[in-house]
Amino acid sequence: MSSLISCTHWVKRGVAVQNPKKYDIDEKELERVSKLARIELEEARKEWQKATEAAKKIVDGEADNDDEWEDEPVDADEDGDISMDSVKDETKKTKSDPNDLSEYNLDSYDDDTKSALGPFSNIKGLTYHQNNDDDPYITLKEDDEDEERQELEILPSDNLIVIAKTEDDISQLEIYVYEESEENLYVHHDLMLPSFPLCLEWLDFAPSTSASRTSADKPGNYIAVGTFEPEIEIWSLDTVEAIYPDAILGRQDKTKAHIPVPSGTGKKKKKKTKAREISSDYHVDAVLGLSWNRTHRNLLASCSADKTVKLWDLNKDCSTEPAIRSFNVHKDKVQAVEWNQKDPTVLLTGSYDRTVRTFDTRTPDAGVGSILGADVEALKWDPWESHSFYVSLENGLVLNFDARNLPSSVKSAAPARFTLSAHDGAVSGLDVNPHIPGCIATGGTDKIVKVWNVNERDGKLDVSLVTSRDLGAGKVFSVTWSPDDPLTLAAAGSQAKLQIWDVGANMGVRRAFGSKLQGKEFKERSNGGVVAMANDNEDESGDEDADEP
């Protein structure tokens, strides 16, 4: 499998702790992992205890074979340091050859007996220190912990960008730090994933099983990940080198969630498998979409290839407790889900059954929707109009609907407020700018990222293309606006390259949105406002070609 980035997510400035902690595997963490993973870790705990005891003996100088050795006394000075004189005396004692006349020093018998002068005349007075911290003449002490702390430090002015990357069949989360003032982008740390990642969602609510949870009201810094596996993993972004998530939503112990059930006797030419039985308690297929409720912070919605939408309460141990609600509003795989932030009980969903639906989670049967002309790729509520939402499709179209005008019976296509032919191919990336009304960004499999301006004129919506660019990301799978900078977006795709684009560097963008950004100062940017990670595998010509619009 070639390398690619399937999804990205920004983290607002000031959310991450300034000094992330390192993952610590202690007995308490082993108990948490054992309960979370539903596996027996007694043997692992015993081995860990043995290793701890052995390490302690080594530190205390109590090795297992101490009785077989006897330390010979060695002269030391008052500070306990070994002197060069004692080492020389011990060397003399080891000589036992009867023909050895070196002790008479016959070779220098006729030499001048006066002591030699020079920079090393007082060599006998030199003292060897096993640790530089004990040497009074070394004033610049080494502090590896301080150096490492500085390398991992995240400033309040830094953004985090989480990407889901797969390379050579190995999937992981890479957490980038973006320093906007310095146009600097680098990988801070990474987290290994069990399967190919499909979606990301940031949240500040600490799950009940998180080791870092101190209070349900205290905001945290977490990322939820949906993969080809039926379970949802939640990781803390304030912990580096973590090897196990803070929470798992789903039932790993249920074999039917992992192992297809063979049908028949298996004696036919081709063994078929039955579809996994849908459960109202947990997902049984890949998790395709996630959405966190910012009003009711303990709620997380998920949609899956098992055709269901589920609601999770993060105050519960979701590795043992079932989902609190399960909705069967679609007839095929559910590709995307999103809460309405202005109306926090309403969900928006889109499916491969070529329908889009919106419903109140308290009364899901009273929902409304519309038939579409192709499979849904992405959808977004308009943060500036609580009743309006955007849907991007596999055929390259982007549509805008007013939920108030949708029918309750989804049997035909409802009229859209506008239909935009955005890309030559699937529109995989879609985002609505949270800072500028009517500003949307799209990315498609045609490798182009586009920025659009939506204005209302004479009661109708008018859509115009403001700027477009090939960022060298390959087929674009994800486009997301920055939560802090109004005209900065992140894009990534099949080339496994994260690209940051300050579209404000474009004069046409300034003219189009200048009136909506009064008081905003635009900075001069090199390379047209594009900031990218250096790629060692590309030569200079390749980099230049990738950055061309």
Side-chain angles (χ1 to χ4, degrees), residues 291-475:
S291 182
W292 172 58
N293 195 311
R294 286 167 171 76
T295 302
H296 307 292
R297 295 172 48 245
N298 61 308
L299 297 182
L300 181 71
S302 63
C303 62
S304 170
D306 64 10
K307 308 177 187 179
T308 68
V309 177
K310 286 184 168 50
L311 193 58
W312 305 89
D313 184 357
L314 300 181
N315 276 322
K316 299 181 178 180
D317 182 357
C318 295
S319 64
T320 57
E321 297 286 335
I324 59 175
R325 294 295 301 272
S326 182
F327 308 105
N328 299 294
V329 296
H330 290 283
K331 298 178 181 179
D332 205 340
K333 300 174 182 178
V334 187
Q335 170 69 8
V337 61
E338 186 173 53
W339 289 103
N340 188 326
Q341 302 302 334
K342 299 292 181 63
D343 193 353
T345 62
V346 175
L347 276 176
L348 174 67
T349 60
S351 170
Y352 284 177
D353 63 6
R354 298 189 173 187
T355 66
V356 60
R357 292 176 180 267
T358 176
F359 58 92
D360 193 310
T361 53
R362 297 169 296 184
T363 56
D365 296 334
V368 297
S370 174
I371 291 180
L372 306 171
D375 293 345
V376 173
E377 288 288 331
L379 47 77
K380 287 287 181 182
W381 285 104
D382 190 338
W384 304 96
E385 293 181 333
S386 62
H387 53 80
S388 175
F389 63 87
Y390 296 85
V391 183
S392 66
L393 305 179
E394 189 182 25
N395 59 5
L397 298 181
V398 175
L399 297 88
N400 180 274
F401 289 96
D402 187 335
R404 299 172 298 181
N405 299 329
L406 296 180
S408 58
S409 178
V410 185
K411 295 182 179 179
S412 61
R417 299 174 71 190
F418 70 78
T419 300
L420 173 66
S421 182
H423 292 269
D424 296 329
V427 186
S428 304
L430 170 68
D431 201 14
V432 184
N433 196 310
H435 307 282
I436 308 174
C439 177
I440 65 173
T442 61
T445 54
D446 57 3
K447 305 180 181 181
I448 306 296
V449 175
K450 298 182 179 181
V451 178
W452 308 84
N453 189 13
V454 182
N455 290 310
E456 186 173 356
R457 296 179 181 176
D458 300 329
K460 295 183 178 180
L461 295 180
D462 177 68
V463 186
S464 59
L465 177 65
V466 179
T467 185
S468 64
R469 184 165 184 170
D470 183 349
L471 296 176
K475 296 179 179 180

Side-chain angles (χ1 to χ4, degrees), residues 186-226:
Y186 64 91
V187 178
H188 185 269
H189 65 280
D190 53 37
L191 302 167
M192 298 300 296
L193 296 177
S195 184
F196 187 93
L198 299 170
C199 55
L200 297 173
E201 178 72 347
W202 181 84
L203 60 153
D204 72 7
F205 189 84
S208 63
T209 57
S210 174
S212 58
R213 172 168 170 155
T214 56
S215 172
D217 297 329
K218 184 179 180 180
N221 185 19
Y222 300 89
I223 194 78
V225 188

Side-chain angles (χ1 to χ4, degrees), residues 270-291:
K270 186 177 180 181
K271 184 184 294 185
K272 297 182 179 179
T273 58
K274 293 182 180 179
R276 294 167 176 167
E277 183 180 352
I278 296 177
S279 172
S280 60
D281 296 339
Y282 48 84
H283 286 303
V284 296
D285 210 334
V287 178
L288 305 180
L290 295 166
S291 182

Side-chain angles (χ1 to χ4, degrees), residues 79-91:
D79 297 329
D81 298 316
I82 302 173
S83 65
M84 295 298 293
D85 289 337
S86 62
V87 174
K88 183 176 179 181
D89 292 340
E90 291 298 321
T91 304

Side-chain angles (χ1 to χ4, degrees), residues 9 24 58 66 82 106 235 270 324 362 387 414 434 440 456 484 493 513 532 541:
H9 208 296
D24 185 19
I58 293 175
D66 282 348
I82 302 173
L106 296 177
W235 296 80
K270 186 177 180 181
I324 59 175
R362 297 169 296 184
H387 53 80
I440 65 173
E456 186 173 356
D484 298 290
F513 300 113
S541 61

